[in-house]
Amino acid sequence: MILEYSACVILLIQLVLIHESRGSLFSDECLRHGLKNYYDPTTDSCWIVQATPLTYDRTTLQCNHMPGYDGHLAFPKTLNHSWIIWTKLVAYNSWIGLQHFGSPATVSNKSEWYWVYPDGRKEGAADLWINGYPTAGGGECAYSYGNNVNSFYNVPCTSVPAKFVCQYDSSTAHHETTLEHKCKQQNQWFWWEADKSCLLLDTVRRWIEFSKLLCTHIPGYRGHPVFPKTIEKIHAIGALRDGIKVDSIGTGMERDKNMTSGKVGLFWRRFDGYKESFNIKAILPGQTISLDAPGADYTFIEGDLISDWWDGTAMTLCEYEETLRYAPTLLDIQCASLSLPHLYYQGSCYVRQETFVTYDVAKKSCTHIDGFNGRLAVLHNSELVRLMYFTLTLPSGGYDSTYVGLERLNTTGAAGTGYYWILGNGQTLPVTDFTPFLGGHPTGTSCTLLYNYYLTTYECTYERPFICEYVEPTKGTHFQVNANTANMKALPQFIIQVYDDLSLQESCGYQCTKEPGCHSVVYNENTRNCLLQSVNSNMLYVKSTNIISAPGYAWYDRY
């Protein structure tokens, strides 16, 4: 008997410890958020107030602060919960999860009011109304005043926007995917449950043409500018924007050239360059007054609409999806963790350092990433020069001249000769392409600056910021297939060389490694046709008309 009693005591202690352990993890996650929040140990629930005023229909999409838990507008069913709203959250006059389900003429019927759970289940609230509510003249949604038990009243759902309280219960925990977990480690994140995708807002204004290359916040997931394919998603993004108090947000929707109407030729540009057609009927009739300028290349979210956007700047809302996973490299991971302006692109991590130093000091200062020998950036074509300016210099608001890794090593010839890119480990690459230089340059001086989106040569004693480059050890010697972009190739102007009888894709790739300008290959196993290309699938600012379908070909990127 004593043994049985002791066993019961031990079991009870274990159950308590397990419950407290889970409760502790849940409460820690609850209190991690910077918004006003409160963990209620009596019900093991988390209450978070969102102070951005929204109409009721928009609030129902916003209780997603805690991926891994199903959130809903709060259910203040007890005096304790009313006290939480009034005292701890200071959230009087807030939307709560109480709605009327019935005829608009019968809103005063208490039996037609329900708490609505995330799974659609409804629970009656007839016995909770006091103080003369609900009233026949009120609306079909509920406010909580919060200073007393059941002190809520009914108002029109489309009335003046108000703050709202979200509730999360530990019992609603569901399997948290890797993407969900990684998502909530980021700043300005937003989980869109309908698509199981993570949205991350970059509030630095960038040119949309280049901003799509910056969606690399979560290594292992290929990001793209957001795809707001439904009116509900547009509303949710609008609420996110309003809460952070930013203006325009660029989207991943683009438009083909030479369209006669603004509402045709629209498509979603995937990370791999593939065009996914857009059916505008998916967001009508809510989308009625925009998308009417056929000359605009891009789109952005303005209010509750997708609007036309020319080549301007906007905030970037990146979207990451579970299906777009890949195996990240160590450099990829370390690059994403940097706080300085950076870009991981084609096997290199580029980092802008704003410190003003001479060229010789800059050469020794590329030490941002342990385990990789850094060098000043090698920008041997106009594409890379423009890329560094529009992704790292212009958005940062920093000085417009930065050192890069180009020196004049041979001074015996004419002023425009003898320039070499410094690759590191004693290796150099002679300059063969002078198109990235500003008119009148190079001038014969020893060092080189990236000035706006040109290269200029100056004396090495000038103190300037600099751009470093860290390179994957195998960069340029390996090829990876884009599984989602098979059957793609570039138009002829991007084809460097054509081989009609190469028995293996590896043979095609080997030919590419011998061409400095070759970034990718497309290969047809049936015809053994090989095409060497000057573009790869990450060059998203190549206009859409440069890419066509080619059945039977697979696209391999060089990295």
Side-chain angles (χ1 to χ4, degrees), residues 295-332:
D297 291 340
Y298 303 103
T299 59
F300 76 109
I301 292 181
E302 178 184 35
D304 286 339
L305 298 171
I306 298 181
S307 300
D308 299 298
W309 196 246
W310 285 261
D311 291 341
T313 61
M315 311 297 175
T316 305
L317 185 62
C318 295
E319 184 166 14
Y320 299 84
E321 304 172 44
E322 194 66 45
T323 56
L324 298 180
R325 296 184 68 170
Y326 70 94
T329 65
L330 179 59
L331 179 59
D332 188 0

Side-chain angles (χ1 to χ4, degrees), residues 124-142:
D127 58 340
L128 296 178
W129 288 94
I130 59 173
N131 299 330
Y133 287 97
T135 64
E140 296 183 279
C141 293

Side-chain angles (χ1 to χ4, degrees), residues 489-498 522 530-534:
K489 72 174 182 179
L491 279 178
Q493 63 261 38
F494 293 103
I495 296 174
I496 298 174
Q497 185 78 34
V498 177
V522 288
C530 166
L531 307 176
L532 308 188
Q533 299 183 153
S534 60

Side-chain angles (χ1 to χ4, degrees), residues 237-537:
I237 293 170
L240 171 68
R241 181 203 57 216
D242 294 344
I244 302 176
K245 294 181 174 58
V246 298
D247 48 10
S248 52
I249 291 179
T251 78
M253 185 193 293
E254 300 181 29
R255 181 183 281 109
D256 278 323
K257 300 289 187 181
N258 302 319
M259 293 293 103
T260 57
S261 167
K263 292 182 170 62
V264 297
L266 295 164
F267 61 89
W268 305 107
R269 169 75 80 188
R270 293 195 328 204
F271 80 96
D272 49 28
Y274 188 78
K275 299 189 298 184
E276 179 183 340
S277 297
F278 169 65
N279 180 7
I280 196 170
K281 294 180 181 179
I283 57 174
L284 292 176
Q287 185 80 21
T288 57
I289 63 171
S290 253
L291 298 178
D292 52 6
D297 291 340
Y298 303 103
T299 59
F300 76 109
I301 292 181
E302 178 184 35
D304 286 339
L305 298 171
I306 298 181
S307 300
D308 299 298
W309 196 246
W310 285 261
D311 291 341
T313 61
M315 311 297 175
T316 305
L317 185 62
C318 295
E319 184 166 14
Y320 299 84
E321 304 172 44
E322 194 66 45
T323 56
L324 298 180
R325 296 184 68 170
Y326 70 94
T329 65
L330 179 59
L331 179 59
D332 188 0
I333 295 170
Q334 291 185 309
C335 188
S337 68
L338 296 173
S339 58
L340 293 171
H342 63 272
L343 170 68
Y344 185 81
Y345 180 73
Q346 294 186 5
S348 287
C349 177
Y350 299 93
V351 185
R352 178 184 168 90
Q353 176 68 55
E354 199 63 31
T355 308
F356 281 63
V357 295
T358 62
Y359 179 80
D360 287 339
V361 173
K363 282 201 300 184
K364 301 174 183 178
S365 301
C366 290
T367 57
H368 304 92
I369 301 178
D370 292 337
F372 291 86
N373 294 322
R375 67 191 187 193
L376 290 176
V378 175
L379 312 178
H380 53 76
N381 56 49
S382 295
E383 171 205 316
L384 282 172
V385 169
R386 287 174 56 82
L387 191 63
M388 290 304 105
Y389 175 70
F390 283 105
T391 60
L392 298 185
T393 297
L394 184 62
S396 71
Y399 200 75
D400 57 7
S401 295
T402 52
Y403 277 123
V404 294
L406 179 62
E407 291 184 55
R408 190 181 188 209
L409 301 180
N410 184 352
T411 59
T412 59
T417 64
Y419 285 92
Y420 291 80
W421 291 103
I422 310 302
L423 305 181
N425 298 322
Q427 300 182 35
T428 60
L429 178 69
V431 172
T432 57
D433 180 4
F434 288 88
T435 56
F437 284 87
L438 184 68
H441 289 261
T443 62
T445 47
S446 298
C447 293
T448 306
L449 294 168
L450 170 64
Y451 172 69
N452 291 337
Y453 43 88
Y454 293 102
L455 296 177
T456 57
T457 52
Y458 280 87
E459 295 296 337
C460 304
T461 54
Y462 280 74
E463 290 189 343
R464 293 290 185 270
F466 52 97
I467 297 177
C468 295
E469 180 182 3
Y470 302 84
V471 182
E472 297 282 8
T474 57
K475 180 179 179 179
T477 62
H478 291 69
F479 292 81
Q480 58 187 2
V481 66
N482 290 296
N484 294 326
T485 59
N487 305 328
M488 301 292 292
K489 72 174 182 179
L491 279 178
Q493 63 261 38
F494 293 103
I495 296 174
I496 298 174
Q497 185 78 34
V498 177
Y499 295 90
D500 291 323
D501 191 16
L502 288 180
S503 57
L504 296 172
Q505 174 270 321
E506 288 81 1
S507 301
C508 182
Y510 174 71
Q511 296 299 326
C512 183
T513 62
K514 298 192 294 182
E515 293 279 356
C518 182
H519 296 296
S520 63
V521 301
V522 288
Y523 182 73
N524 189 317
E525 291 184 355
N526 296 323
T527 64
R528 299 189 296 184
N529 181 236
C530 166
L531 307 176
L532 308 188
Q533 299 183 153
S534 60
V535 299
N536 73 15
S537 65

